[in-house]
Amino acid sequence: MRGRVGESAGLAAFNSLPSTSAEQALLGCCSSPRWAATVAAGRPYASTEALYTAADRALAKLGERDRDAALGGHPRIGERGSGAAAASSDREQAGLAGARQGTRDALAQGNRAYEALFGHVYLVCADGRGADQLLAMLYQRLGNDPATERAVLRGELGKINRIRLRRLLESYAELHDGGG
């Protein structure tokens, strides 16, 4: 990973994209068109932290329909992703690769219980977490009331967005450094 230097170089490239290209790139981070349009419209960003703060603010302003659009870009924990963010989802869930079948079955059952209770996919920032930890978090969150769970869900979505934004900026820095 290139760290902050790569992020800064990537930020310059991101800031210079045409609006439609920036929105398309952002949809790979969060599949809410309103979020992507809001974040793209805020360019140019003076720093990566300014971009991350703007992304958090845009997320906080999403209504339930836009939040559902954001969740639509995330597979169930333990399942493969599809669409613009598939590679990111698969990378983030890498900790599930060696999970025992019993843990996988429990996650599938827990996903169904969560969806029945809250009406949407169980979303958790899986990056760097193993299957047993993700399962324990799922069981814990099944005990939340709807208002608490909405707050937890937005927090997890914000973490994922930041990770994906950082990777996006690093990819733009690599393209720039590679003469692209």
Side-chain angles (χ1 to χ4, degrees):
M1 296 274 165
R2 298 175 43 84
R4 293 242 181 246
V5 172
E7 288 179 50
S8 296
L11 180 64
F14 173 72
N15 279 336
S16 68
L17 291 173
S19 292
T20 55
S21 297
E23 286 183 37
Q24 281 302 117
L26 289 166
L27 286 171
C29 298
C30 177
S31 60
S32 165
R34 184 177 310 273
W35 179 87
T38 301
V39 175
R43 294 171 314 133
Y45 292 102
S47 68
T48 56
E49 195 53 43
L51 169 61
Y52 299 150
T53 298
D56 291 343
R57 285 187 182 137
L59 178 62
K61 292 180 182 178
L62 292 183
E64 294 302 307
R65 178 177 283 174
D66 295 313
R67 185 223 49 201
D68 289 345
L71 291 175
H74 295 275
R76 289 179 181 100
I77 293 296
E79 294 183 7
R80 297 206 38 114
S82 64
S88 292
S89 292
D90 292 346
R91 182 182 310 117
E92 292 156 5
Q93 291 194 39
L96 295 169
R100 297 181 333 262
Q101 188 58 46
T103 303
R104 289 184 174 283
D105 292 344
L107 278 167
Q109 182 179 16
N111 281 331
R112 289 190 298 274
Y114 181 96
E115 290 171 22
L117 183 61
F118 296 112
H120 54 77
V121 69
Y122 163 61
L123 182 77
V124 62
C125 182
D127 202 44
R129 293 183 168 143
D132 290 333
Q133 185 180 12
L134 293 170
L135 182 59
M137 293 171 76
L138 172 57
Y139 287 151
Q140 178 186 20
R141 286 176 55 189
L142 283 168
N144 287 345
D145 62 83
T148 299
E149 186 54 27
R150 274 192 300 279
V152 172
L153 174 76
R154 283 191 190 264
E156 294 296 306
L157 188 54
K159 290 176 197 175
I160 294 166
N161 288 351
R162 280 181 173 239
I163 289 168
R164 291 180 177 183
L165 282 168
R166 186 192 78 238
R167 287 184 180 138
L168 177 71
L169 297 179
E170 288 174 350
S171 72
Y172 281 127
E174 289 172 10
L175 285 174
H176 182 356
D177 287 347

